Amino acid sequence: DYVDCSSFHNAQGYKDLSFPDVLTEEWGRLLGYLVGDGLWNYKSRVEVTVEHDETWEALKSLYTKLFGGFSVVMDKRTENTGSIKFNSVGMRSFLHDLGFRLGTDRDAKMVPWSILQSPRSVVQAFLRGLFEADGGVEADGKVVSFSTASGRLAREVQVLLLNLGIV
């Protein structure tokens, strides 16, 4: 069954927000991007660092559909790198309650509890977002890699992959 999100709806902040009743594949993919390249320490916004064209397009689409909009700030030091953000205390609080925990250091990242309790399709969407952010393909497509400073995240991702039959 899909994770019930209705108990985490809130009225924090000034924006009129639309929260999902259940954690869908789109929310799972967004959480994957956030765990991989999201900023965990801002209380008033949902932000992801982006570099690749296909990731820009995917995140613009997700932010528009899930939040109703976004803003972009480009990094002047490198070409095509920047961040996509949605300013909202209420939405950040909602994501915190789903397991994208405020104040988490890079070496303490984890798979959100809501993903661990989600159906296979949502877990797959989460992994898609996570691997697009922090994964890679090498050796002519024969080797898939994932990089993280968090031992916990590495172990939890390994369990998710094992549950999908990926060894």
Side-chain angles (χ1 to χ4, degrees):
D1 289 345
Y2 286 93
V3 171
D4 181 2
C5 298
S6 57
S7 64
F8 305 114
H9 295 187
N10 66 76
Q12 295 181 35
Y14 300 103
K15 291 184 177 171
D16 185 23
L17 301 171
S18 177
F19 297 104
D21 290 328
V22 295
L23 190 70
T24 64
E25 290 77 6
E26 289 165 327
W27 285 94
R29 188 169 182 197
L30 176 68
L31 282 168
Y33 282 120
L34 288 168
V35 169
D37 283 337
L39 302 177
W40 293 64
N41 294 315
Y42 291 107
K43 294 179 185 177
S44 61
R45 67 181 184 251
V46 181
E47 182 173 349
V48 179
T49 302
V50 187
E51 179 181 3
H52 304 290
D53 290 334
E54 60 274 6
T55 307
W56 275 112
E57 295 310 311
L59 281 167
K60 285 178 181 178
S61 176
L62 279 172
Y63 269 59
T64 299
K65 186 165 188 179
L66 302 178
F67 303 145
F70 59 87
S71 62
V72 169
V73 176
M74 297 305 294
D75 185 337
K76 295 178 172 86
R77 299 168 293 167
T78 54
E79 190 175 329
N80 205 39
T81 301
S83 60
I84 184 167
K85 41 180 111 171
F86 178 71
N87 294 314
S88 170
V89 171
M91 190 58 71
R92 184 60 188 94
S93 177
F94 174 73
L95 291 167
H96 171 82
D97 290 340
L98 292 180
F100 182 59
R101 309 291 300 172
L102 278 163
T104 301
D105 292 327
R106 59 188 282 278
D107 60 350
K109 288 182 180 183
M110 78 241 10
V111 174
W113 71 265
S114 57
I115 295 298
L116 295 172
Q117 295 182 18
S118 287
R120 181 182 187 99
S121 61
V122 175
V123 171
Q124 290 169 329
F126 169 81
L127 289 169
R128 187 174 306 114
L130 181 64
F131 273 76
E132 287 174 15
D134 280 345
V137 178
E138 304 158 27
D140 296 326
K142 295 178 184 171
V143 176
V144 177
S145 62
F146 171 69
S147 177
T148 180
S150 170
R152 177 178 176 178
L153 179 60
R155 288 186 301 278
E156 290 174 346
V157 167
Q158 183 180 27
V159 169
L160 292 178
L161 291 170
L162 287 170
N163 284 334
L164 295 173
I166 301 169
V167 180

